Amino acid sequence: ATAGGEYDSCTGPRICVAIAVDARGRLHEFQPQELSMLAWSCAKVFGKRAPSERVGGKKRGRGAGGGRPHEVNQFLLALAQEASRRLTEFTPQGLSNIAWTLATLSLLGPQESCAPARRFLREAMVAAAHGNELSSYAPQAVANLLWAAVRLEAPVAEQEEALGVVRAFGVAAAKDATLRMLDFSWRDLAGV
């Protein structure tokens, strides 16, 4: 912080990296909501791209690194693995926050290093589409999961399974949105 209490543009990223380094080895100590909020905050800090990084008004893709410090990517992939292990402990919002983070930071790619993130997203979609679970999800959570689903890039060996999971989740989400259409805002429906 500066003398006036303001933060420079590098403070948030530095704090995020420090937290990622410190927390990575002890993710099992965190409550599910804390994990979700840690992931979300990383996406808020590192997910926005400067106007100079835009091409033709669109954000340039950066792949599975995104230009972020390696420590942040490793932290988020470890967090995805921990979240998979404890999937049933998360609220729908927690699951959708993590899925949104992984998609926002391009960690759902076909690279081997992204396997924990892809596994988390597949498991979260299966859990959400099971039975009548989606009816307990807020419209924004459904939209966030769908948004992440369309950004899933499975390697060739996983494509058939991933496509089946995405298709089943998409069908369940469409049915749920149809039944609860009045609950969804125009922004939520745009994501469905």
Side-chain angles (χ1 to χ4, degrees):
T2 63
E6 299 166 2
Y7 291 93
D8 63 44
S9 62
C10 295
T11 302
R14 276 193 244 133
I15 290 171
C16 192
V17 170
I19 291 170
V21 168
D22 184 59
R24 183 173 172 212
R26 9 182 239 112
L27 290 171
H28 63 280
E29 297 176 14
F30 289 87
Q31 295 297 316
Q33 183 179 4
E34 295 166 337
L35 293 173
S36 168
M37 295 311 296
L38 283 168
W40 178 85
S41 60
C42 285
K44 293 304 277 184
V45 169
F46 291 105
K48 292 193 177 217
R49 295 190 174 124
S52 63
E53 297 177 10
R54 294 177 183 261
V55 176
K58 294 188 176 188
K59 294 178 183 177
R60 264 192 284 188
R62 295 188 188 172
R68 286 175 303 284
H70 180 68
E71 296 88 352
V72 172
N73 292 337
Q74 292 305 308
F75 167 71
L76 290 168
L77 293 167
L79 188 147
Q81 189 169 0
E82 180 68 18
S84 286
R85 190 177 70 73
R86 297 167 46 192
L87 197 70
T88 60
E89 298 175 30
F90 282 84
T91 64
Q93 181 179 352
L95 294 174
S96 75
N97 282 350
I98 294 170
W100 177 82
T101 295
L102 298 172
T104 297
L105 298 179
S106 300
L107 292 172
L108 295 170
Q111 301 85 349
E112 181 60 33
S113 62
C114 293
R118 291 190 311 271
R119 186 176 322 106
F120 166 79
L121 181 58
R122 285 193 314 266
E123 291 172 358
M125 287 188 293
V126 167
H130 180 72
N132 196 26
E133 287 297 311
L134 270 179
S135 64
S136 67
Y137 280 58
Q140 182 66 50
V142 175
N144 285 352
L145 279 170
L146 278 168
W147 188 80
V150 299
R151 282 154 181 79
L152 179 63
E153 297 178 58
V156 174
E158 296 176 18
Q159 284 180 354
E160 190 173 327
E161 176 194 358
L163 182 60
V165 170
V166 170
R167 184 178 292 128
F169 180 72
V171 167
K175 287 179 182 176
D176 180 67
T178 301
L179 294 173
R180 297 191 300 148
M181 192 174 296
L182 297 177
D183 295 342
F184 282 68
S185 71
W186 67 268
R187 179 176 271 169
D188 298 327
L189 287 171
V192 177

